[in-house]
Amino acid sequence: MFSRLVSAGLLAAAFSLPIGSAMAQPSGLPVDVPREQLFVSDQILRYNVVGNYNFWVQGPQNPTRHAMFLETLWVRDQETGELINDVASSPPQYNDDYTQMSVDLRDDIYWSDGVQFTADDLVYTVQTLMDSPELGANGWHTQLNQFVESVEKTGDHSVTFTLSEPNARFHSMFEARWNGVYMMPKHVFETVEDLATFTNNPPVVLGSYIPVQADPNGFWELYQRREDWERSPAGVQTGNAGPENILSIFYGDSTRKAIAMSRGELDVYFDADFEAFQTTLDTTSTARSWYQEFPWAYPNEVSSRQFVFNMEGDPIYANKDVRWALALALDIVELQTEYIGGVVKVTPLPVPPTTELMRLYHDPLEEWLVNLEIDLGEGEMYKPYDPTVPDRIAEWAAGQGYEVPGTPREVFGTGWWKFDPEAAEALLLKNGFTRDGSGQWLKPDGQPWVLSLQSPPDENDAFRMSNAAADMWSDFGIQVDLQGPERAVWDQNHIEGQFQVSTPWYSFALASGDAWPEIRGWHPEFYVPVGEDYRSKGGGNFQRINDPRIGEMLDAMQAVEPGSEENFELVREYLKYWTEEMYFITTISFKKFVTWDERYWTGFPTAESPDYMPLYWFQGGKYAFQSLRPAE
């Protein structure tokens, strides 16, 4: 169906689960638990740190599992934008100048060993993170020390933070989209001499599930429901027990996931390529994704995919004209249709076009995008934006026999940059690039331009768009070295700055529309040069962008109420600047073929019943798990 998917079919990494190495029941699963008592979820990646549940240090990975036993004060649902009280019993309460934040806590939740959760646990967590630089995960140590003057218990279930400077978003550290400051059990951690080496195994948890068994090679992990599940936050929220046992298992590529689901050995998978998803529908009559028909996949995760540049790698990528040239050498319609299957939304901004975020950002900036001009050289100004992109994708979909369930802009996102190799060429010639006799680009120093592009194969959309870019940039005359490292290697290359161009995912805004908590990591105060761990100062800037203007704009946002129009306008100005600089080539927003089989379990959220988001690997995914009931 999709002519260019053939080259992208190489995305499947050769991962293999050593089922035969573990004692397995007849179904082929590696644990001895009756199938009707077991929910099996896609683990996403193979854990490279096994048996360590100390998520306050750098190292242990948390996809799939953190939501099942770690808790924060609040959770932000990605589908509704709703702030859900987790261990807190109400939203944060600030004083008039945002120098104090008070929190009321639930009085009906307990640690898995029967000890009640109280204000002592929250105060201990914050103070311990502030006092312990070795607890450096997620920059919490740095951020808490930046903003917290003191934290004190004001009651058995109430705490007040006094801040060292006004911050209307201080609570965002404790508000989990993906994660947030996890609560520590004071009565356990205060007995530990060295928290840096403490593995927290077996963990005492606030969540509904406790890890009880794990593959030493990181391929699977088994969790058991607490007997007192109703005293966990998700138990309180849903009022439902959920499965007795949950097994997370890493099958590897999309084909293996589809096969496992067809065999009844996988109840939900994280994502798959289009072909594997179609195979699942053909072989598993009880399987479905968010929508029952095209475009099937869940479209509202507030993240986007992009090509990003190492500003301290090859110096050519520090030149915004080069970045613009690379954008104009891409055909976004072909990328979205022939490589991705037409099932994602397009966005030129590093904000996905969900209904709410489009209202706040894409729609108000559409006129600005249409009128945006860049300098091609010799006084020639050029308007790069093409607002017809969603209409052309809709024409493609109609040609495939699909019914588009809404307007093209609602279903396929916004316009994007024109596919204009001539304009791209003008930008390069302006900056001293030349072509050799065969039409291949030479850098200003006369050396062949070899673009190194790193993309992890387990992120199928990222790897497919990398295949698209490799094909298109090669057609444009750039030699492309497309690399598909395993996730752990890819992550380490980011940490140290050992890449030229890469394909991470980012979110520049929360589901509520506030952006500062998501983008503050690009403030120059967090800049770390290549060769050092970019996380060491608590930021997220592995591109090594060091731009004072970004710092000024972030400082202006910090002092403004998050839900105000003034804040949204500041974010729009930030997005304009970021786009003009082309710091990212943002291409598409996330789609997720979060696909589940109702053979054994039912109650997973759908477009028809969107009680919770289906993103089970996020912190809010615990509500989807807890809502499951045995199929009849």
Side-chain angles (χ1 to χ4, degrees):
M1 180 180 290
F2 309 124
S3 62
R4 301 302 288 270
L5 288 179
V6 175
S7 63
L10 298 174
L11 67 89
F15 298 127
S16 178
L17 180 67
I19 293 292
S21 65
M23 179 178 176
Q25 57 178 356
S27 66
L29 294 172
V31 295
D32 189 17
V33 177
R35 186 65 178 88
E36 66 275 9
Q37 298 174 13
L38 182 68
F39 184 81
V40 186
S41 72
D42 179 9
Q43 186 172 281
I44 303 177
L45 53 80
R46 181 172 70 86
Y47 297 136
N48 59 18
V49 177
V50 178
N52 188 340
Y53 302 104
N54 183 351
F55 290 92
W56 297 268
V57 300
Q58 300 284 12
Q61 302 145 303
N62 59 1
T64 305
R65 56 187 178 176
H66 58 150
M68 290 192 284
F69 56 86
L70 297 170
E71 303 294 348
T72 59
L73 293 180
W74 302 280
V75 172
R76 180 74 65 173
D77 187 84
Q78 298 304 286
E79 172 60 19
T80 64
E82 176 189 0
L83 185 68
I84 300 174
N85 295 320
D86 199 47
V87 304
S89 61
S90 62
Q93 302 144 33
Y94 287 95
N95 63 355
D96 291 341
D97 63 359
Y98 297 104
T99 57
Q100 277 194 341
M101 184 185 81
S102 298
V103 179
D104 292 325
L105 304 173
R106 292 189 186 276
D107 62 4
D108 55 357
I109 59 173
Y110 290 76
W111 296 99
S112 55
D113 62 359
V115 175
Q116 187 176 25
F117 172 78
T118 69
D120 292 324
D121 295 300
L122 174 55
V123 172
Y124 175 82
T125 297
V126 172
Q127 199 62 61
T128 300
L129 287 173
M130 292 177 65
D131 294 343
S132 309
E134 66 273 19
L135 303 183
N138 301 291
W140 295 329
H141 165 77
T142 301
Q143 295 174 49
L144 288 169
N145 277 293
Q146 178 182 356
F147 293 114
V148 176
E149 182 176 304
S150 65
V151 55
E152 60 181 320
K153 170 182 174 180
T154 54
D156 287 346
H157 294 90
S158 58
V159 170
T160 294
F161 293 85
T162 299
L163 307 182
S164 54
E165 57 185 276
N167 186 348
R169 299 169 178 79
F170 177 69
H171 66 278
S172 65
M173 293 180 59
F174 301 86
E175 174 193 315
R177 168 184 177 262
W178 163 251
N179 64 8
V181 174
Y182 300 128
M183 300 298 103
M184 294 176 176
K186 177 178 183 290
H187 63 288
V188 175
F189 275 56
E190 67 182 354
T191 67
V192 176
E193 284 190 21
D194 185 359
L195 289 175
T197 60
F198 179 50
T199 61
N200 193 30
N201 188 3
V204 172
V205 308
L206 275 179
S208 297
Y209 290 88
I210 304 171
V212 293
Q213 190 179 352
D215 171 46
N217 296 308
F219 283 98
W220 56 264
E221 199 159 38
L222 179 66
Y223 310 86
Q224 194 171 79
R225 190 185 66 205
R226 289 169 49 175
E227 291 185 6
D228 62 341
W229 58 266
E230 70 280 0
R231 301 203 299 182
S232 71
V236 171
Q237 178 72 20
T238 66
N240 189 58
E244 295 177 55
N245 302 276
I246 295 177
L247 173 69
S248 72
I249 189 166
F250 177 65
Y251 282 100
D253 65 32
S254 296
T255 300
R256 289 184 174 90
K257 295 177 187 181
I259 293 171
M261 186 164 283
S262 71
R263 292 175 175 173
E265 297 172 5
L266 186 61
D267 294 311
V268 64
Y269 59 64
F270 154 76
D271 205 1
D273 58 36
F274 182 83
E275 296 83 0
F277 171 71
Q278 289 295 322
T279 298
T280 297
L281 295 186
D282 292 341
T283 61
T284 311
S285 61
T286 46
R288 64 162 294 176
S289 192
W290 182 251
Y291 297 110
Q292 290 189 335
E293 303 293 340
F294 178 84
W296 300 290
Y298 181 74
N300 292 332
E301 182 181 338
V302 290
S303 295
S304 58
R305 298 190 183 277
Q306 43 270 311
F307 299 103
V308 305
F309 306 93
N310 183 351
M311 298 298 169
E312 295 183 354
D314 190 317
I316 63 172
Y317 302 111
N319 183 335
K320 76 173 183 180
D321 283 346
V322 173
R323 302 192 294 268
W324 266 108
L326 289 169
L328 294 171
L330 295 176
D331 184 340
I332 193 63
V333 173
E334 184 174 353
L335 183 153
Q336 193 271 358
T337 58
E338 301 300 327
Y339 287 84
I340 307 295
V343 293
V344 294
K345 293 182 178 182
V346 169
T347 175
L349 306 175
V351 174
T354 65
T355 300
E356 178 64 9
L357 296 181
M358 186 178 285
R359 181 187 70 82
L360 290 172
Y361 299 121
H362 299 80
D363 290 346
L365 291 177
E366 181 73 6
E367 183 178 357
W368 176 84
L369 287 164
V370 168
N371 293 316
L372 173 65
E373 293 185 326
I374 60 175
D375 185 359
L376 297 184
E378 299 182 356
E380 182 182 358
M381 301 304 293
Y382 175 77
K383 292 184 177 180
Y385 185 68
D386 178 5
T388 71
V389 165
D391 299 302
R392 291 194 284 131
I393 296 172
E395 291 174 4
W396 170 90
Q400 300 293 320
Y402 298 138
E403 181 177 344
V404 178
T407 69
R409 190 172 170 89
E410 289 170 340
V411 177
F412 301 118
T414 64
W416 206 74
W417 313 119
K418 297 172 182 175
F419 175 52
D420 194 338
E422 290 185 3
E425 180 175 51
L427 286 168
L428 295 179
L429 293 175
K430 167 188 170 183
N431 287 276
F433 288 75
T434 58
R435 290 186 188 266
D436 65 15
S438 62
Q440 296 295 299
W441 282 105
L442 304 176
K443 296 190 295 185
D445 62 4
Q447 296 299 309
W449 185 359
V450 180
L451 185 153
S452 173
L453 174 58
Q454 295 186 21
S455 186
D458 61 319
E459 284 283 334
N460 64 77
D461 283 352
F463 199 68
R464 284 181 178 238
M465 79 180 196
S466 294
N467 275 270
D471 290 343
M472 294 171 190
W473 288 336
S474 295
D475 291 344
F476 180 57
I478 302 171
Q479 296 181 51
V480 179
D481 175 21
L482 176 57
Q483 303 169 15
E486 188 179 21
R487 179 67 68 88
V489 175
W490 184 72
D491 285 340
Q492 189 61 36
N493 288 344
H494 284 175
I495 289 169
E496 298 176 356
Q498 302 304 311
F499 71 96
Q500 289 183 1
V501 186
S502 185
T503 59
W505 58 95
Y506 278 113
S507 174
F508 264 42
L510 298 169
S512 63
D514 190 22
W516 182 87
E518 299 294 280
I519 61 181
R520 65 181 296 274
W522 276 277
H523 197 291
E525 67 183 351
F526 300 123
Y527 162 76
V528 176
V530 161
E532 299 179 22
D533 188 335
Y534 78 88
R535 305 167 299 178
S536 60
K537 292 185 178 180
N541 178 12
F542 66 76
Q543 286 183 262
R544 275 67 183 184
I545 297 172
N546 191 9
D547 187 337
R549 176 66 180 134
I550 288 177
E552 294 169 4
M553 299 176 88
L554 290 171
D555 290 342
M557 283 182 218
Q558 182 181 326
V560 176
E561 199 279 318
S564 66
E565 178 57 29
E566 181 183 4
N567 176 53
F568 298 138
E569 185 56 34
L570 288 172
V571 177
R572 292 178 198 124
E573 291 303 312
Y574 185 94
L575 292 173
K576 289 180 184 179
Y577 179 71
W578 191 275
T579 301
E580 288 175 329
E581 293 295 314
M582 193 54 74
Y583 276 134
F584 291 163
I585 302 177
T586 306
T587 56
I588 55 177
S589 62
F590 268 37
K591 72 94 179 70
K592 290 298 177 190
F593 278 131
V594 185
T595 302
W596 53 94
D597 179 9
E598 295 187 314
R599 197 175 326 189
Y600 296 100
W601 301 93
T602 189
F604 217 80
T606 67
E608 304 89 69
S609 301
D611 296 327
Y612 301 105
M613 66 177 184
L615 309 178
Y616 65 88
W617 59 96
F618 278 36
Q619 189 68 16
K622 60 190 167 202
Y623 305 123
F625 279 176
Q626 197 89 31
S627 299
L628 294 169
R629 292 178 169 83
E632 296 181 0

